[in-house]
Each structure stands twice: as C-alpha cells, then as structure tokens.
Amino acid sequence: MRRGPFRWGDRVQLTDPRGRPATITLIPGGTFQTHKGYFRHEELEGRPEGSTVETTKGVQYLALRPLLADYVLSMPRGAAVVYPKDAGQIVTMADIYPGARVVEAGVGSGGLSMSLLRAIGDGGSLLSVERREDFARIAVANVEGFFGGPHPAWRVEVGDLADVLAAQREPGSVDRIVLDMLAPWENIDAAATALAPGGVFLAYVATATQLSRTAEDLRADGRFTEPVAWESMVRGWHLEGLAVRPEHRMIGHTGFLLTARRLGPGVEPPERRRRPQASAAATDPEDVARLAADAARVQIGDDYAPEDFGERGATEKKTRRAARDAEVIQRAAQRSALAAAPTLEGPSLEGPSGSEEGA
C-alpha cells in the first residue's frame, strides 16, 4: 500500500506553499476545494509520490502519502491520541520488540496501537482493551485504514482491563503492559499478575497527581522495581538562510511516562536509599514513605472524573462523526490494498459499496 503511484483509496497529504498540510482520501469523482481554488482527484490518481498538483487559481500543492505521525494527527478521533513524540518514547523505553506479547489499555482512537503493531510485527501479539465500544470501533477503522486491512497480530476487546486479562492471558505470559487511562493504579495488581518476570509496566498520565499516585501504589505493591518517570518536549527550528533560530511555538507538556519492571516471584525489591531532608532527618524512613503514599491518595480520591484532571470528554456528536469518517478511510484503504495486490488469495477485505467523500 505504501509504494508505487497513487491509487483510489489512498490517503494523500497535500502541503501548500506556506507548509500547511491537508489530508484527503482519493475517490473517483472527488474534488479538493479551498479558497485557493480546487482540483479533481483524477489529477493525482496514477501519479508518483512527490508530485505537485495545481488548483484552478494556480496554487501548487505537494502530494505525498502521510507518514505514520502525519496519519495519527490527521485521522478521525473519538478520544485524544497519544502524540507521536510520546509514542516513540513508549516504543523505545518500554522496549517493544518484534515478537513481543503486549497489552495496552485504553485504545482511544488507535494512534498508539499503530506504533505498537509496527514494532511487534506480524509475529507478536497486541491485545488492546477499551472500555467504550464506540471508541473501539473508531480505533479499529483507523488502524485498518492505515494498514489496509486487519492486522494479524492485533486483537481488540471491550471491557475492563482486569477482567479481560484474566480471561485472555495466562499469568506471567505478557512481556509489556502499556496503560493510557485515568487511573492506572487500579490495574497494578492485574498487571503484576499478567507480566512475566522482567516485563515492563508503562503508564501514560496527564497530571502530576496521577503520576504521584501511580508511583506510590507501585512501590506499595512490592512486585515492581523502583518506578522511573519523565516527560519529553519537542522544539522545532526555523531554517531560512542565516535565520536559524528556535520556532516560536513548541510541543510542550503532553503527558508523563512512568515505567517499572516486574520482579521475580517472591522477590522483595531492594530498599531504595534516599538522602534524608532536613525536616525529616529524625523521622523513621517507613513513616516518611507512608506519609508520601497517603499524600498521593489524598490528592486523588476514589470518586474522580476526567474533568478532575482537566480532560474534556468527547461529545456523542463528535464521536459519531469520527466513526463515520474513520469507516470511510477504512473502506477506501481496503479497496486500495486489493487494487495493489489483485492476485492475493484469501477472503475479500472489500467493504460495502457506496459513495464516499474525502476525509
């Protein structure tokens, strides 16, 4: 799907002379319209990547297939996506390797799922768990729209992580667990049971209070190594002649990443030595640790909601629209995959026929 000339059903990223991108799906009879004029999709079909196309007002657009990072940022969303900068960190710092047995929750719109599937390859396995069925449908459509059909290593389940893990995975059979949810500390026990010794637990959280609660509960569980946390920021650079300087805008805080390794059965973690603070020099270290854990739990009670962490829930109208747009991309990609490999044997991936509009 990602080689050769443009075909019907391909996703194409168009970049105008000012560097602003727009993404379309090539369909017969389709048009791309802006205040700078329009052009017909037929002008791109059959042409190689890196071609330019001109609108009726003489404005040129550069046409390329979107990279994974481009696709994630332009695809229909039911829930917020994990940004590419964080997805890259997750793949590297959680050591996602070809053939790995990985579990993620929740799947959201499927952005992180694509990075994980790329890393594990066809020989691995990825179990994605999502509580909301409508989000799961959007994720499936987005992922199949990118890969051109169902991925052989991927399985999506709707439900609570603890219940799905108990039913779908044997204890000690999972290599990596990645949690992108409001309260990852609720699933520490289930993760510890499912992970193999040496396996990686990774949580992606938005706020410092979530980070603190997760870290303290990992320490209290006793089956993990000392948790490590960090965040990454990306700053672009302006490059024009001798005017080489940082961009005025940058991608700052998007989330915190926290990792810990699963210890062997019955192994107690080594006591972590910390330099005592002046105010706590005469205090029992166990009391200090207990106070820190209590403070984390006081900050986040058990009756939290997404709004407590500054997150806005997706509206039903937005979710329905994202589902429709994702299904258009999914069906178009399936037809593009069939057109690119007409001699492949096996069941047809072609979806229902009908008119479609560019996303």
Side-chain angles (χ1 to χ4, degrees), residues 4 6 9 33 43 65 78 123 129 134 147 173 204 241 292 319 321 333 344:
F6 291 123
Q33 301 189 24
E43 297 179 46
R65 288 187 176 93
V129 184
D134 51 351
F147 287 109
S173 65
Y204 177 74
T319 301
R321 179 178 179 181
L344 288 178

Side-chain angles (χ1 to χ4, degrees), residues 120-344:
I120 66 174
D122 294 353
S125 69
L126 174 63
L127 173 62
S128 298
V129 184
E130 173 58 53
R131 284 184 174 181
R132 293 185 52 167
E133 186 175 355
D134 51 351
F135 284 0
R137 286 198 300 268
I138 295 171
V140 169
N142 281 331
V143 173
E144 293 189 2
F146 181 76
F147 287 109
H151 196 288
W154 196 36
R155 180 183 180 91
V156 181
E157 293 286 344
V158 177
D160 291 330
L161 176 62
D163 298 334
V164 173
L165 274 178
Q168 300 289 338
R169 293 293 184 266
E170 295 292 330
S173 65
V174 176
D175 298 312
R176 308 288 186 260
I177 288 183
V178 180
L179 303 184
D180 175 16
M181 55 177 59
L182 286 177
W185 55 86
E186 293 182 340
N187 292 286
I188 288 176
D189 179 67
T193 301
L195 279 171
V200 177
F201 171 97
L202 185 144
Y204 177 74
V205 295
T207 69
T209 48
Q210 290 169 292
L211 180 66
S212 175
R213 175 72 183 267
T214 306
E216 294 303 331
D217 281 19
L218 280 170
R219 293 188 180 108
D221 181 83
R223 288 174 286 180
F224 290 92
T225 61
E226 178 70 13
V228 177
W230 73 97
E231 66 174 333
S232 63
M233 301 182 185
V234 175
R235 184 175 71 174
W237 279 70
H238 174 85
L239 302 173
E240 187 174 347
L242 297 178
V244 180
R245 55 169 175 74
E247 294 283 2
H248 295 305
R249 296 182 179 180
M250 65 177 291
I251 302 176
H253 174 76
T254 51
F256 297 104
L257 296 174
L258 179 146
T259 59
R261 303 286 299 275
R262 177 67 163 93
L263 295 171
V267 176
E268 293 187 6
E271 183 179 351
R272 183 66 177 263
R273 292 188 176 182
R274 294 180 175 85
R275 180 178 298 176
Q277 299 178 3
S279 60
T283 305
D284 186 354
E286 292 185 1
D287 291 338
V288 174
R290 190 182 307 109
L291 288 172
D294 290 342
R297 292 181 178 88
V298 167
Q299 293 179 55
I300 303 178
D302 295 329
D303 55 347
Y304 47 82
E307 292 76 14
D308 296 332
F309 304 117
E311 297 188 8
R312 293 178 295 177
T315 64
E316 293 298 325
K317 181 178 179 180
K318 177 183 177 182
T319 301
R320 288 195 300 269
R321 179 178 179 181
R324 290 195 300 269
D325 293 343
E327 288 170 1
V328 169
I329 297 172
Q330 179 187 28
R331 292 196 296 269
Q334 289 170 351
R335 284 196 288 273
S336 178
L338 288 175
T343 59
L344 288 178

Side-chain angles (χ1 to χ4, degrees), residues 3-155:
R3 295 190 182 95
F6 291 123
R7 298 179 291 271
W8 297 126
D10 279 355
R11 293 280 283 175
V12 179
Q13 181 169 281
L14 304 169
T15 306
D16 70 7
R18 298 183 64 179
R20 294 176 298 193
T23 306
I24 63 173
T25 301
L26 292 184
I27 57 173
T31 59
F32 174 73
Q33 301 189 24
T34 71
H35 66 283
K36 300 177 181 178
Y38 73 93
F39 66 83
R40 301 186 184 279
H41 290 191
E42 281 80 359
E43 297 179 46
L44 279 177
E45 194 271 334
R47 297 182 64 183
E49 279 194 81
S51 298
T52 58
V53 61
E54 191 172 296
T55 69
T56 53
K57 292 187 177 180
V59 178
Q60 286 192 331
Y61 283 81
L62 175 65
L64 293 163
R65 288 187 176 93
L67 303 176
L68 175 57
D70 302 321
Y71 183 88
V72 167
L73 294 178
S74 66
M75 69 186 187
R77 305 183 191 182
V81 298
V82 175
Y83 273 75
K85 75 179 185 69
D86 295 321
Q89 290 272 307
I90 289 171
V91 169
T92 300
M93 302 308 290
D95 191 34
I96 310 296
Y97 57 88
R101 301 163 297 184
V102 183
V103 174
E104 69 159 335
V107 66
S109 298
L112 179 59
S113 303
M114 286 180 269
S115 294
L116 296 175
L117 289 169
R118 274 272 192 88
I120 66 174
D122 294 353
S125 69
L126 174 63
L127 173 62
S128 298
V129 184
E130 173 58 53
R131 284 184 174 181
R132 293 185 52 167
E133 186 175 355
D134 51 351
F135 284 0
R137 286 198 300 268
I138 295 171
V140 169
N142 281 331
V143 173
E144 293 189 2
F146 181 76
F147 287 109
H151 196 288
W154 196 36
R155 180 183 180 91

